[in-house]
Each structure stands twice: as structure tokens, then as C-alpha cells.
């Protein structure tokens, strides 16, 4: 892998992401309710430079029989803050962790990252039938 020029900062590996902190709440979804959670306080670390990647995360889903407990979701996001993970992989990781936990009818995860080096990045993963 290429190395960044100049100073780089240390970071943790992906195994520091705390998936075990995520909790669910039983939920009856007879009306096929649509749920959206958003935060603009997501951050991880670019594994190339060690600099922060900051973004807005939007989680949209149609629950089957569980919803995510929001305080646990916040703590889960905080566990990314010192992890070296590429933007695309961070979106995959969030999506996979939540989809496996919730088994929703449909889910979409979007992360809109702050501009870095003059380039805007948005990553999106969607699965299921809406």
C-alpha cells in the first residue's frame, strides 16, 4: 500500500469497532413503518494518512420485528472514531452490522463525508424490498 507523505497519526484496527454494544428493542411493524436515523457526528480515521474522516450517517429501514436502541447506536458510532477504515468500508461495516442485527425488510445506509482534498464522497448501500 502506498504511504502518505509527511506526518501520519496512529490509529486502531477494525477489531476496535464495538458491535457487541448494539441493542435492539422488540417492535411490531404491522403498518410497514419507515424509520430514519441521522447523525452528523460520525468520524473514523483514514488509514492512508491517519487524518479524520467526518461524515453524516443516514440509516433508513423498514423493521421486521426489531428496532435499534439509539443510545447503543451512538456508542457504536463512537467506537469508530480512532479506527483506521476507508470510507467505503466504513459504510459496508455499518450496513452489515445493522442488517445482521435487525434483519429488516429493507435497509439503506448512506454516509456523506466532509470534503477532503477538494473531493466530495458519498457512499450508499441498500438491500431488500421497500
Amino acid at each position: 500500500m502506498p504511504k502518505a507523505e509527511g506526518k501520519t497519526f496512529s490509529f486502531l484496527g477494525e477489531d476496535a469497532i464495538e458491535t457487541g454494544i448494539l441493542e435492539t428493542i422488540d417492535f411490531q411493524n404491522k403498518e410497514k413503518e419507515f424509520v430514519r436515523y441521522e447523525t452528523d457526528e460520525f468520524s473514523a480515521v483514514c488509514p492512508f494518512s491517519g487524518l479524520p474522516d467526518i461524515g453524516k450517517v443516514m440509516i433508513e429501514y423498514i423493521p421486521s420485528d426489531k428496532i435499534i436502541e439509539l443510545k447503543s447506536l451512538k456508542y457504536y458510532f463512537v467506537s469508530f472514531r480512532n479506527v483506521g477504515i476507508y470510507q467505503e468500508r466504513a459504510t459496508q461495516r455499518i450496513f452489515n452490522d445493522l442488517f445482521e442485527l435487525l434483519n429488516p425488510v429493507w435497509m439503506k445506509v448512506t454516509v456523506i463525508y466532509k470534503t477532503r482534498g477538494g473531493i466530495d464522497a458519498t457512499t450508499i448501500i441498500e438491500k431488500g424490498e421497500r
Side-chain angles (χ1 to χ4, degrees):
M1 170 153 86
K3 296 281 185 196
E5 292 182 20
K7 181 162 178 56
T8 57
F9 298 92
S10 61
F11 50 85
L12 302 173
E14 197 173 328
D15 58 335
I17 298 169
E18 296 186 38
T19 55
I21 204 161
L22 290 168
E23 297 179 21
T24 62
I25 298 168
D26 291 337
F27 183 73
Q28 298 293 321
N29 196 9
K30 296 177 182 170
E31 305 303 323
K32 209 172 179 186
E33 183 174 350
F34 174 86
V35 178
R36 176 185 293 150
Y37 306 130
E38 296 183 27
T39 182
D40 60 358
E41 297 178 353
F42 178 78
S43 65
V45 177
C46 172
F48 179 74
S49 66
L51 296 171
D53 278 328
I54 299 168
K56 176 179 182 174
V57 177
M58 291 177 285
I59 299 164
E60 301 169 289
Y61 67 111
I62 297 173
S64 54
D65 60 353
K66 294 182 271 190
I67 57 174
I68 194 75
E69 193 280 321
L70 293 180
K71 184 168 81 172
S72 76
L73 182 61
K74 177 66 176 184
Y75 289 150
Y76 168 74
F77 285 148
V78 168
S79 76
F80 277 82
R81 98 175 136 192
N82 294 319
V83 171
I85 187 168
Y86 287 106
Q87 295 173 344
E88 297 83 357
R89 176 64 186 137
T91 304
Q92 288 176 348
R93 179 63 191 261
I94 293 166
F95 181 88
N96 291 340
D97 288 346
L98 294 177
F99 199 91
E100 182 179 321
L101 181 70
L102 298 172
N103 192 29
V105 173
W106 169 84
M107 178 178 275
K108 179 179 178 181
V109 173
T110 303
V111 185
I112 303 168
Y113 288 94
K114 301 281 186 189
T115 303
R116 288 203 48 212
I119 298 174
D120 295 326
T122 300
T123 55
I124 303 168
I125 300 176
E126 179 177 357
K127 182 177 178 180
E129 285 195 34
R130 189 162 178 196

